[in-house]
Amino acid sequence: MRSKLFLVFLLFVFTFSSLTGCWDRRELEERISVIAISIDQAEPTEEGEAMVLVSLQIPIPIKISGGAEGGGAGGMDAVRVISSTGFTVADAFSNLQKRLNQQLFLGHTRVISVSEDLAREGLEEILDGFRRDPALRRLLWFVIVEGKARDMLYSDAKLEQIPMVYIMSLIENGAREQRIPDITLGQFYISESNNAMEPIANYVRAGEEDISWDGTALFNGTKMVGRLNPMESWYMMQLRGEGPGGDRVIHTGDEEHMVIRPKQLSTKKKVSFPKGEVHIHYDISIEANLIEKNFKLDMNRSEELQSLAKIVEKEFEKEAQEVIEILQQEYKTDALRIGRYIKAYHYKEWQAMNWGEEFPKSNITVSYDVAFRRTGMQLN
């Protein structure tokens, strides 16, 4: 009996001694959480070597409401922005770490912003380190900033305790309502790695007390080649089948206009190859709400509503065709993801073509079908 108990005891000791446990754990209090990262071009060295400026926005827990010391602060008082230069992003992070008493932790980072100037130079080297970091979440927002990306870290909209949460919520809510493209860092990586797709990113402007979404940055590979304004971005989203976009003002006469809100979207495309050419036609159906008008209209007459819908269809077709021309002729980038569709459903034709050269020459047309779902209340 004693020998059996001794064997059980040895087995117990051996089992638990073999468990390593969290040998490399690090307490939260021993980490500095980074909420946002910005990357800009820095002044080159005396030898002419390129440098980057990396800036971080770091929350100060003790100054956030509910903190251990009572807290109550918000805005820029609740965060600290620190910056450092380096030959690469990793070198800049290393220089930042030398000035901090705790380890930087990127697992809570929600936004990475890059200046437009740097994006136009190319982001392959900039994004390489982030791609290799297992702590960095692929679901964070990746944005391009007009001017200095660091300015976004200092922008204080005063509507959130942590300033960067404002831009994060702005994009999240816009993407949920299908007014802003839902483009995360992971999706940018996927598009950049696929030879049938070109990446895009959200484009923002930053002021001292205001941050606004201002369209979409367009890329060829990892190099930014141009951008679409918000209205153009909405047509791009409709063509991609990702959402109806925001409110549109439609002029129906010299001084007559109405505001409509697209709600439901259905996008279908047909690809054909007559005589070796690429023809793509989009059929887009939209259900919309009539938000406002400054002219008389009998809502009870279907003929008048249908006539109004025809005006909207004509306007949508004209402006969507202009966006297609911008992508084909001015920027020569397939932000519509047509190449991915051809590769998936017409692989034989895809293998026989150079899509980068074929896209600007493709015949792309679009037609709209608009129906009003709600026209609001009206008292006679």
Side-chain angles (χ1 to χ4, degrees):
M1 183 67 180
R2 289 184 178 181
S3 60
K4 290 183 179 180
L5 290 176
F6 182 71
L7 288 174
V8 171
F9 175 75
L10 286 178
L11 180 62
F12 178 84
V13 172
F14 175 77
T15 300
F16 280 89
S17 64
S18 64
L19 298 178
T20 58
C22 298
W23 62 271
D24 62 344
R25 80 184 191 282
R26 187 177 294 271
E27 302 295 341
L28 289 175
E29 293 80 6
E30 298 174 359
R31 290 176 168 177
I32 296 178
S33 294
V34 177
I35 190 70
I37 302 170
S38 73
I39 308 172
D40 294 285
Q41 285 182 322
E43 292 295 327
T45 63
E46 295 180 357
E47 293 76 18
E49 294 183 86
M51 302 283 284
V52 294
L53 174 68
V54 174
S55 303
L56 311 178
Q57 187 177 99
I58 300 170
I60 305 174
I62 200 172
K63 291 190 176 181
I64 298 175
S65 295
E69 301 297 327
M76 292 306 298
D77 291 334
V79 297
R80 180 188 176 192
V81 177
I82 58 174
S83 304
S84 185
T85 59
F87 294 105
T88 66
V89 172
D91 184 37
F93 267 99
S94 178
N95 293 333
L96 282 167
Q97 187 65 72
K98 295 173 185 177
R99 297 159 44 195
L100 299 170
N101 64 332
Q102 295 171 346
Q103 183 182 17
L104 287 170
F105 178 61
L106 304 184
H108 294 155
T109 303
R110 303 304 300 273
V111 179
I112 293 179
S113 62
V114 178
S115 67
E116 181 177 349
D117 290 342
L118 194 56
R120 289 185 180 274
E121 291 291 327
L123 299 179
E124 184 173 0
E125 296 179 1
I126 299 298
L127 295 176
D128 181 73
F130 293 135
R131 190 193 294 265
R132 299 172 187 277
D133 192 336
L136 203 67
R137 295 195 293 180
R138 277 17 181 196
L139 293 178
L140 62 80
W141 298 109
F142 174 66
V143 299
I144 306 300
V145 183
E146 181 187 49
K148 296 290 186 182
R150 184 173 61 171
D151 292 344
M152 193 174 76
L153 303 188
Y154 286 99
S155 184
D156 189 3
K158 302 186 184 304
L159 293 176
E160 295 284 353
Q161 279 191 310
I162 300 175
M164 196 46 54
V165 173
Y166 179 81
I167 181 64
M168 180 188 74
S169 300
L170 184 150
I171 297 177
E172 279 184 356
N173 292 332
R176 187 181 303 114
E177 296 170 3
Q178 298 183 328
R179 292 181 292 101
I180 294 177
D182 187 358
I183 304 296
T184 62
L185 180 64
Q187 291 167 334
F188 187 92
Y189 283 150
I190 292 171
S191 299
E192 182 268 326
S193 301
N194 192 326
N195 64 352
M197 300 170 63
E198 295 290 358
I200 63 174
N202 284 304
Y203 185 92
V204 302
R205 297 179 187 269
E208 291 185 4
E209 296 183 356
D210 180 59
I211 300 175
S212 61
W213 175 75
D214 200 37
T216 311
L218 305 173
F219 286 79
N220 269 332
T222 57
K223 181 177 291 188
M224 180 179 170
V225 294
R227 77 176 186 92
L228 299 178
N229 63 37
M231 188 179 70
E232 293 167 342
S233 299
W234 292 336
Y235 285 112
M236 180 195 68
M237 291 175 64
Q238 291 174 7
L239 290 164
R240 287 164 61 113
E242 294 180 345
D247 295 354
R248 288 282 290 106
V249 178
I250 305 295
H251 295 276
T252 58
D254 292 338
E255 296 184 1
E256 295 181 352
H257 68 263
M258 61 180 175
V259 179
I260 68 168
R261 179 170 299 161
K263 297 297 292 184
Q264 299 295 329
L265 173 76
S266 173
T267 300
K268 298 178 181 179
K269 58 177 170 283
K270 181 180 179 181
V271 178
S272 59
F273 306 91
K275 298 180 180 180
E277 299 178 351
V278 182
H279 287 219
I280 304 102
H281 181 73
Y282 286 90
D283 283 309
I284 300 179
S285 299
I286 287 181
E287 291 185 3
N289 295 346
L290 180 61
I291 303 301
E292 183 184 48
K293 63 180 180 61
N294 67 346
F295 54 89
K296 292 184 178 180
L297 178 69
D298 187 352
M299 301 293 184
N300 296 318
R301 296 187 60 187
S302 61
E303 297 85 356
E304 293 198 25
L305 283 178
Q306 290 175 1
S307 176
L308 209 59
K310 293 297 181 184
I311 295 175
V312 177
E313 290 169 1
K314 186 176 180 180
E315 184 74 9
F316 276 19
E317 289 169 2
K318 172 179 172 292
E319 295 184 350
Q321 205 69 53
E322 290 175 355
V323 172
I324 292 171
E325 185 176 347
I326 289 173
L327 296 175
Q328 283 188 288
Q329 306 305 323
E330 186 172 351
Y331 300 130
K332 295 179 173 57
T333 181
D334 180 18
L336 303 178
R337 302 190 303 186
I338 299 172
R340 186 182 72 164
Y341 182 88
I342 295 176
K343 185 178 181 180
Y345 297 99
H346 304 276
Y347 190 67
K348 182 179 178 181
E349 288 81 0
W350 167 263
Q351 285 183 307
M353 71 172 70
N354 182 331
W355 181 240
E357 296 178 358
E358 197 66 39
F359 173 72
K361 300 183 296 183
S362 299
N363 186 331
I364 306 175
T365 55
V366 58
S367 60
Y368 276 83
D369 179 33
V370 175
F372 287 105
R373 185 173 67 172
R374 294 179 181 175
T375 56
M377 297 177 62
Q378 181 174 321
L379 298 177
N380 295 323

